[in-house]
Structures are given as C-alpha cells and as structure tokens.
Amino acid sequence: MTGVHEHTATYDWRDEAACVGEDPEIFFPLSDSAAPGSEASLARAICRRCPVLLACRTWAIERGEDGIWGATTAAQRRSVRRAATDR
Ligand code: SF4
C-alpha cells in the first residue's frame, strides 16, 4: 500500500502530502495513544512537517475518517465535529 492512506479520489493537496511513500500502517494504529514511539506518534511527527496539514485535517473531519490525518487522531476529530455541531 502506498500514498495518502490510499485515498481513492484525487485532491491537489495530496500531491504535497508528506506521508506519500511512508508506511500507511502507522497512520492506522491499533491504539490512539500518542505516547513517544507509538505508531500514532510517528505518524503525527510526519504530519507536523507536512505542508498540507490543514487541508488534510479538514478533509478528514468532514468525512469522519479513521486513523491519523493532519496530525490528529480520530478521537480528536470527533471532538471537533461534536463541538461544531453543538454550536
Ligand atoms: S497531514 Fe499527515 S496524513 Fe495528511 S497528507 Fe500530510 S502527512 Fe499525510
């Protein structure tokens, strides 16, 4: 598997994704734990140097994706969605 979590559609922000060529497994960790050395931690470190972090994060929030996107975990993005819904 390669590419930005195997997205099937083409988005221009994807062309600049820092995770292209990285192991996609670390972006879908079994645990949301971001403890040092964890898969989520490794994925988020890659995201933090990604030039399209915000576009990616917004995309994942809007779609309710699982895994690490835009340096956030699925639980973090669910919180953002809940906060936006509660407004
Ligand atoms: S923010 Fe992270 S998951 Fe999103 S495109 Fe960049 S490296 Fe990939």
Side-chain angles (χ1 to χ4, degrees), residues 4-5 13 17-19 27 43 46-47 50 52-53 56-57 68-71:
V4 186
H5 309 6
W13 58 265
C19 53
F27 288 89
I46 293 169
C47 293
C50 179
V52 292
L53 183 153
C56 172
R57 182 182 295 172
I68 304 296
W69 299 78

Side-chain angles (χ1 to χ4, degrees), residues 17-81:
C19 53
V20 171
E22 299 287 347
D23 179 0
E25 298 290 327
I26 66 172
F27 288 89
F28 291 100
L30 294 177
S31 165
D32 255 7
S33 167
S38 66
E39 289 183 317
S41 169
L42 295 174
R44 292 172 76 194
I46 293 169
C47 293
R48 286 192 200 95
R49 62 177 170 79
C50 179
V52 292
L53 183 153
L54 291 179
C56 172
R57 182 182 295 172
T58 300
W59 191 92
I61 290 170
E62 290 174 352
R63 286 160 181 78
E65 292 285 348
D66 288 326
I68 304 296
W69 299 78
T72 57
T73 65
Q76 289 172 322
R77 293 192 305 277
R78 277 194 297 274
S79 295
V80 170
R81 285 168 63 103

